[in-house]
């Protein structure tokens, strides 16, 4: 799906940029992830794109208010997938298709970690390990 090309906010959005920022902050404090905040704003408040109205992305608003997640959402989702596959492989040791899926998933994780280290989002000494991923997934699964 491709978004329509538009620079100005839609005329039918009745919220001011400050109100939208407060909504983003409120939803983040309730424990929603940045992507979930975008979906809630779109579906419940009729705000199609936060950046068009406020001039800032959701993650930037969260960073300004010290509410940004410690680990990027896409990396955390890949780690959740890897933990689920590992749990599956403990029971089904001969499932070679899932072993391959785990290798591919962990390869994606390592590439993403390298990218986030280069961009300065993760510390230079941050390293992915399956044990650490399991701990992080348990920590953030409550959100």
């Amino acid at each position: 799906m491709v978004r329509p090309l538009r620079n100005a906010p839609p005329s039918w959005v009745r919220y001011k940029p400050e109100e939208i920022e407060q909504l983003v902050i409120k939803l983040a404090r309730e424990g929603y992830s940045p992507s979930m905040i975008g979906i809630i704003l779109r579906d419940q408040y009729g705000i199609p794109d936060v950046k068009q109205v406020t001039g800032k992305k959701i993650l930037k608003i969260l960073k300004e208010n010290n509410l940004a997640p410690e680990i990027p959402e896409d990396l955390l989702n890949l780690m959740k997938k890897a933990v689920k596959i590992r749990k599956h492989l403990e029971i089904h040791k001969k499932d070679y298709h899932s072993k391959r899926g785990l290798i591919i998933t962990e390869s994606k994780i390592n590439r993403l970690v390298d990218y986030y280290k280069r961009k300065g989002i993760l510390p230079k000494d941050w390293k992915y390990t399956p044990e650490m991923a399991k701990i992080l997934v348990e920590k953030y699964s409550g959100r």
Side-chain angles (χ1 to χ4, degrees), residues 31 70 128 143:
E70 297 170 23
Y128 168 79
R143 286 188 165 191

Side-chain angles (χ1 to χ4, degrees), residues 20-46:
I20 294 174
E21 286 189 31
Q22 290 305 314
L23 279 171
V24 168
I25 293 167
K26 179 183 139 238
L27 291 169
R29 287 196 174 125
E30 290 175 9
Y32 290 106
S33 65
S35 63
M36 197 64 204
I37 291 171
I39 290 170
I40 291 170
L41 290 176
R42 181 194 68 196
D43 295 345
Q44 294 179 10
Y45 295 92

Side-chain angles (χ1 to χ4, degrees), residues 105-128:
T105 303
E106 289 189 337
S107 174
K108 288 178 185 178
I109 290 170
N110 287 321
R111 285 196 310 262
L112 208 50
V113 166
D114 289 343
Y115 169 76
Y116 285 132
K117 283 181 183 179
R118 272 196 321 270
K119 292 295 179 181
I121 296 169
L122 290 176
K124 296 286 184 195
D125 61 341
W126 200 91
K127 186 144 177 67
Y128 168 79

Side-chain angles (χ1 to χ4, degrees), residues 5-122:
L5 218 60
R6 177 181 294 194
N7 294 333
S11 58
W12 43 267
V13 173
R14 56 193 169 116
Y15 293 96
K16 295 182 177 78
E18 299 80 29
E19 294 173 327
I20 294 174
E21 286 189 31
Q22 290 305 314
L23 279 171
V24 168
I25 293 167
K26 179 183 139 238
L27 291 169
R29 287 196 174 125
E30 290 175 9
Y32 290 106
S33 65
S35 63
M36 197 64 204
I37 291 171
I39 290 170
I40 291 170
L41 290 176
R42 181 194 68 196
D43 295 345
Q44 294 179 10
Y45 295 92
I47 301 165
D49 189 10
V50 172
K51 188 175 180 192
Q52 284 182 345
V53 181
T54 62
K56 301 179 213 170
K57 291 185 176 184
I58 293 173
L59 200 56
K60 183 167 183 177
I61 294 170
L62 295 177
K63 282 180 183 173
E64 289 173 353
N65 293 284
N66 297 322
L67 294 170
E70 297 170 23
I71 296 174
E73 190 177 3
D74 53 352
L75 181 60
L76 189 61
N77 288 336
L78 279 172
M79 286 195 286
K80 283 180 186 176
K81 183 177 179 179
V83 168
K84 283 182 185 177
I85 295 172
R86 279 193 183 279
K87 195 178 293 184
H88 171 81
L89 286 172
E90 286 175 8
I91 300 165
H92 308 280
K93 295 187 186 333
K94 297 258 182 186
D95 188 352
Y96 297 113
H97 296 289
S98 292
K99 283 184 182 178
R100 183 176 186 277
L102 178 64
I103 291 168
I104 291 170
T105 303
E106 289 189 337
S107 174
K108 288 178 185 178
I109 290 170
N110 287 321
R111 285 196 310 262
L112 208 50
V113 166
D114 289 343
Y115 169 76
Y116 285 132
K117 283 181 183 179
R118 272 196 321 270
K119 292 295 179 181
I121 296 169
L122 290 176

